[in-house]
Amino acid sequence: MKTSIATVSISGELPEKLEAIARAGFDGVEIFENDFLAFDGSPRDVGRMVRDFGLEITLFQPFRDFEGMPEPYRKRTFDRAERKFDIMQELGTDLVLVCSNVSPVALGGIDRAAEDFRELGERAAKRGLRVGYEALAWGRHINDHRDAWEIVRRADHSSIGLILDSFHSLARKIDIGSIRSIPKDKIFIVQLADAPLIDMDLLYWSRHFRNMPGEGDLPVADFVAAIAETGYDGYFSLEIFNDQFRGGSAKAIAADGHRSLIYLGDQVRRKPNAAALSVTTMPDRAGVEGIAFIEFSVSETDARELVAMLHSLGFRRTAIHRTKKVSVYQQGEIRILINLETVGFAGAAYAVHGASAYAMALHVDDAAAALTRAVSLGAEHFAQPVRPGELEIPAIRGVGGGLIYLIDRKGELGRLWEIDFQPAEDDHVPRSAHLQTVDHVAQTVAYEEMLTWLLFYTSIFEARKSPMVDIIDPAGVVRSQVIDNDQGTLRITLNGAENRRTLAGHFLAEKFGSGIQHIALRTADIFATAEALRANGFNALPISPNYYGDVEARFGLDPELTERLKAENILYDRDEFGEYFQLYSGTFAEGFFFEIVERRDYRGYGAANAIFRIAALKKQIRPEGMPAR
Ligand SMILES: O=C(O)c1ccc(O)c(O)c1
Ligand SMILES: [Mg+2]
């Protein structure tokens, strides 16, 4: 699978785009005419620059409003085409995209269009050039790849072929089975884009909301599989019109694009009849059995505050690292590590972000395989020197540059707690609060990073995304996206902040970047937990009394239950599957907090309660502009 991306897909000036595209690992680039027109250099300069970056120009596009023109437009259209051919020859590319005509003066008729293409093919052939025809979903007469193919077939010219674009075909829900019988050498190039399902005008949807395959809701992998069945193994080229990408980081968007194609190739390879596609083979997506630990890097002062909070939550210290200043606090299967090292990655993370949950460890079936897959998909492998006898835990960089450790139950990794740690008593033993496992990890990121991390998690791990929901903060909207698996053993919520006045935005500003903002811990009995917490001196986040009248009325709760919820500051929610109970801690280190949940078959995350929780938490963080405590 050869990879390419259109210059229109990312932000910046042409040289900046090309550099990002080359660095991300693409083989080729589509030169979008406007990017070329806006650049000061000659076509030859552009061609040289592209090749200096080690890239090939896969396509020059678009050429508009060509086929079916009546005279005198027709003649002018052919003249225009000759001018484009001149540019192509100087650029050093042999393929141009003609998109279906949208002009009101264009005439219909398959044979008329085929005739125009045959003539254009003759002219292109004289210069050794080729022309690909693409049906725009909103083309005036041609808006279906099956009709475009019929025109190409009737044009019957070796220099005329078809260009397939997943967006145009999938947005119109055209049967992709129709692709399988197209001869592979008549498919000149394949363009790919995904998009979120939004009900809107096709042109507007296409020009503003396309995204990388895997980031949206269209069946792009099925589309590619149908193409692979023809035996096509040429370029797959991303063509993403997206307002956010145009304003984003060229480097990050190009990297996402490359990851999306590699992941797509891997998905298609696993389908029947896709043998033609030459793709990187890699292990399966890693199944996640749970969160093995969460690690904080803190100062001595922060540690005292955090330990007091953990004690009140019913955690006790059970182990210490054999050589590093790291303690393990445990309850049920939950392990929280407190790292006081001032050197190494933890020390660096503290220097940049202050006290933070900078690392998490995922329990996977096979850590080595998970690491191989992650690296094949462009994740950054993390390793730092370890002392003799200590384990080198496979790790990758995740959200905010934090770490994701990968742990399995095989070999030495399965004995991590014996090898790297030794048992330790705690001088304070609180009452257990019956907390069992980590229910979910909530990571706060800038809004424009959400798709990046969504693709990161779903491509590497066996996980799926749920529809994005809006969380209303008194100071703005925060978007929230759940990534989880069927078993409920991996649950991550990504919260995307658009401004810094929201609780999430404040966290990003204070922490100098994205990271874990809260961890939800699961209990099987929220009331027993609440009682133990009270005995431990836990400070629950006070919830407005007004909330309880509303929740009682909304769900028709027994007033006695409402009273109990209110007495313990427990929030309540219900979905079609069951009930949910939530209880929060106050904040630690400018915005981090713990949540305790009980799920009675409930599948969501209490989004409806977020506004009340956020309002209460905001009372605890320092107001904008106030000095730190
Ligand atoms: O939006 C457009 O006009 C447009 C142009 C060229 C393409 O290849 C395409 O898919 C869309
Ligand atoms: Mg296209």
Side-chain angles (χ1 to χ4, degrees):
M1 180 178 204
K2 288 192 288 181
T3 59
S4 160
I5 184 169
T7 51
V8 73
S9 313
I10 59 176
S11 71
E13 308 269 330
L14 192 54
E16 191 187 343
K17 291 182 189 225
L18 293 175
E19 182 177 355
I21 290 166
R23 288 224 176 147
F26 286 94
D27 306 307
V29 60
E30 286 182 18
I31 300 292
F32 221 78
E33 188 170 30
N34 279 345
D35 281 314
F36 156 72
L37 295 178
F39 182 68
D40 283 340
S42 69
R44 269 180 223 289
D45 293 339
V46 171
R48 199 174 313 115
M49 184 164 65
V50 171
R51 283 179 286 277
D52 284 348
F53 278 114
L55 296 165
E56 184 180 6
I57 301 179
T58 52
L59 179 68
F60 181 61
Q61 75 140 330
F63 187 63
R64 298 186 190 275
D65 298 337
F66 165 71
E67 78 284 17
M69 287 304 223
E71 292 296 359
Y73 305 99
R74 187 173 186 279
K75 178 180 179 310
R76 244 185 276 149
T77 305
F78 276 94
D79 291 345
R80 210 156 48 82
E82 295 284 358
R83 297 275 294 276
K84 299 290 175 210
F85 289 167
D86 295 340
I87 295 170
M88 288 167 64
Q89 288 185 303
E90 289 179 42
L91 275 174
T93 182
D94 73 339
L95 183 61
V96 63
L97 176 147
V98 172
C99 50
S100 57
N101 203 325
V102 300
S103 165
V105 302
L107 304 172
I110 299 272
D111 283 322
R112 181 197 313 271
E115 194 51 47
D116 287 344
F117 274 106
R118 188 172 314 131
E119 183 174 338
L120 191 63
E122 279 300 299
R123 292 177 183 230
K126 285 203 185 102
R127 307 194 195 212
L129 302 178
R130 298 178 305 143
V131 176
Y133 184 39
E134 173 196 66
L136 292 175
W138 54 89
R140 184 165 172 84
H141 299 286
I142 302 301
N143 47 43
D144 182 320
H145 69 247
R146 292 170 295 197
D147 295 335
W149 164 233
E150 186 53 27
I151 288 168
V152 166
R153 202 183 63 77
R154 291 192 200 177
D156 190 23
H157 194 286
S158 60
S159 296
I160 299 295
L162 183 67
I163 292 180
L164 292 164
D165 178 326
S166 61
F167 181 87
H168 298 298
S169 298
L170 298 174
R172 295 186 66 100
K173 301 194 175 73
I174 295 166
D175 171 26
I176 51 173
S178 58
I179 292 171
R180 296 195 171 91
S181 53
I182 301 172
K184 66 175 183 193
D185 47 323
K186 292 309 271 184
I187 303 174
F188 280 2
I189 196 165
V190 175
Q191 295 183 313
L192 297 176
D194 201 339
L197 285 180
I198 317 175
D199 198 12
M200 69 166 83
D201 171 69
L202 285 173
L203 185 148
Y204 200 79
W205 188 23
S206 174
R207 297 247 175 106
H208 302 273
F209 293 93
R210 289 186 181 206
N211 54 22
M212 304 297 175
E215 293 180 345
D217 302 312
L218 300 178
V220 184
D222 293 338
F223 179 84
V224 173
I227 290 167
E229 274 196 49
T230 68
Y232 175 90
D233 193 25
Y235 270 106
F236 286 89
S237 188
L238 297 168
E239 188 199 30
I240 318 290
F241 306 94
N242 181 301
D243 299 348
Q244 192 186 310
F245 295 1
R246 282 178 196 261
S249 143
K251 184 168 171 247
I253 301 298
D256 286 350
H258 196 255
R259 167 173 293 151
S260 80
L261 287 180
I262 302 298
Y263 177 37
L264 196 60
D266 181 62
Q267 287 167 278
V268 174
R269 172 177 75 83
R270 294 158 192 274
K271 294 178 185 276
N273 310 324
L277 220 54
S278 47
V279 297
T280 328
T281 53
M282 62 182 93
D284 297 351
R285 289 197 302 165
V288 177
E289 293 165 31
I291 309 288
F293 66 80
I294 306 269
E295 181 166 333
F296 287 83
S297 74
V298 293
S299 67
E300 302 273 357
T301 319
D302 303 318
R304 277 192 287 280
E305 194 186 336
L306 181 56
V307 167
M309 208 163 183
L310 290 175
H311 278 152
S312 71
L313 280 161
F315 284 84
R316 65 162 96 167
R317 191 175 70 172
T318 55
I320 54 173
H321 196 275
R322 291 188 190 275
T323 59
K324 291 182 187 162
K325 288 206 259 179
V326 179
S327 303
V328 181
Y329 286 79
Q330 202 175 342
Q331 185 171 186
E333 291 173 38
I334 311 163
R335 283 185 171 89
I336 303 221
L337 274 54
I338 299 186
N339 191 326
L340 288 167
E341 290 284 316
T342 51
V343 294
F345 192 84
Y350 182 81
V352 177
H353 304 290
S356 70
Y358 82 106
M360 68 172 162
L362 301 180
H363 249 304
V364 293
D365 349 297
D366 184 331
L371 178 64
T372 302
R373 181 173 178 95
V375 171
S376 306
L377 285 160
E380 191 183 332
H381 180 195
F382 170 81
Q384 67 183 348
V386 296
R387 294 193 180 84
E390 285 177 9
L391 291 179
E392 217 178 280
I393 310 175
I396 53 175
R397 303 290 294 274
V399 166
L403 301 184
I404 299 178
Y405 285 110
L406 302 163
I407 294 186
D408 60 25
R409 297 179 204 278
K410 299 175 182 176
E412 292 202 315
L413 269 183
R415 295 193 297 118
L416 164 69
W417 304 113
E418 296 155 49
I419 297 174
D420 281 9
F421 292 85
Q422 66 192 55
E425 300 279 298
D426 200 334
D427 43 20
H428 175 78
V429 178
R431 231 173 103 173
S432 164
H434 319 291
L435 304 181
Q436 301 171 323
T437 55
V438 174
D439 182 86
H440 61 273
V441 173
Q443 297 186 306
T444 298
V445 303
Y447 174 67
E448 57 274 14
E449 282 181 79
M450 289 186 81
L451 290 174
T452 299
W453 297 110
L454 169 78
L455 185 65
F456 173 90
Y457 283 119
T458 55
S459 62
I460 299 172
F461 301 102
E462 224 175 87
R464 58 166 178 235
K465 60 175 173 145
S466 317
M468 209 182 270
V469 294
D470 295 337
I471 303 283
I472 306 303
D473 180 292
V477 177
V478 173
R479 317 241 182 218
S480 183
Q481 169 102 60
V482 171
I483 294 159
D484 60 10
N485 62 9
D486 284 336
Q487 310 89 302
T489 47
L490 175 66
R491 298 176 184 274
I492 288 171
T493 60
L494 284 178
N495 296 312
E498 277 178 282
N499 81 49
R500 51 177 297 170
R501 287 179 302 118
T502 58
L503 184 74
H506 176 90
F507 177 82
L508 291 185
E510 287 292 327
K511 292 287 157 195
F512 299 103
S514 310
I516 298 177
Q517 186 166 11
H518 90 256
I519 307 168
L521 308 173
R522 182 114 51 108
T523 173
D525 184 344
I526 194 95
F527 293 106
T529 293
E531 192 191 320
L533 293 182
R534 216 172 333 106
N536 287 337
F538 173 78
N539 290 316
L541 180 74
I543 301 298
S544 163
N546 297 340
Y547 167 79
Y548 293 96
D550 176 63
V551 92
E552 180 176 296
R554 240 182 327 131
F555 295 106
L557 298 185
D558 183 339
E560 212 175 301
L561 174 61
T562 317
E563 275 315 305
R564 287 180 80 192
L565 296 173
K566 188 173 173 179
E568 307 287 10
N569 291 297
I570 296 171
L571 297 158
Y572 177 89
D573 194 24
R574 198 189 285 160
D575 65 8
E576 71 233 75
F577 308 103
E579 295 177 295
Y580 195 48
F581 300 85
Q582 302 168 276
L583 174 56
Y584 289 91
S585 75
T587 58
F588 162 72
E590 285 307 319
F592 178 88
F593 55 93
F594 290 98
E595 177 182 4
I596 292 161
V597 303
E598 180 188 342
R599 290 180 181 276
R600 296 188 188 155
D601 301 321
Y602 174 92
R603 308 224 178 133
Y605 293 82
N609 287 330
I611 183 168
F612 310 111
R613 180 259 292 174
I614 290 167
L617 282 165
K618 275 189 140 177
K619 294 192 186 120
Q620 301 203 339
I621 58 173
R622 71 189 157 91
E624 195 77 28
M626 290 276 285
R629 279 175 292 161

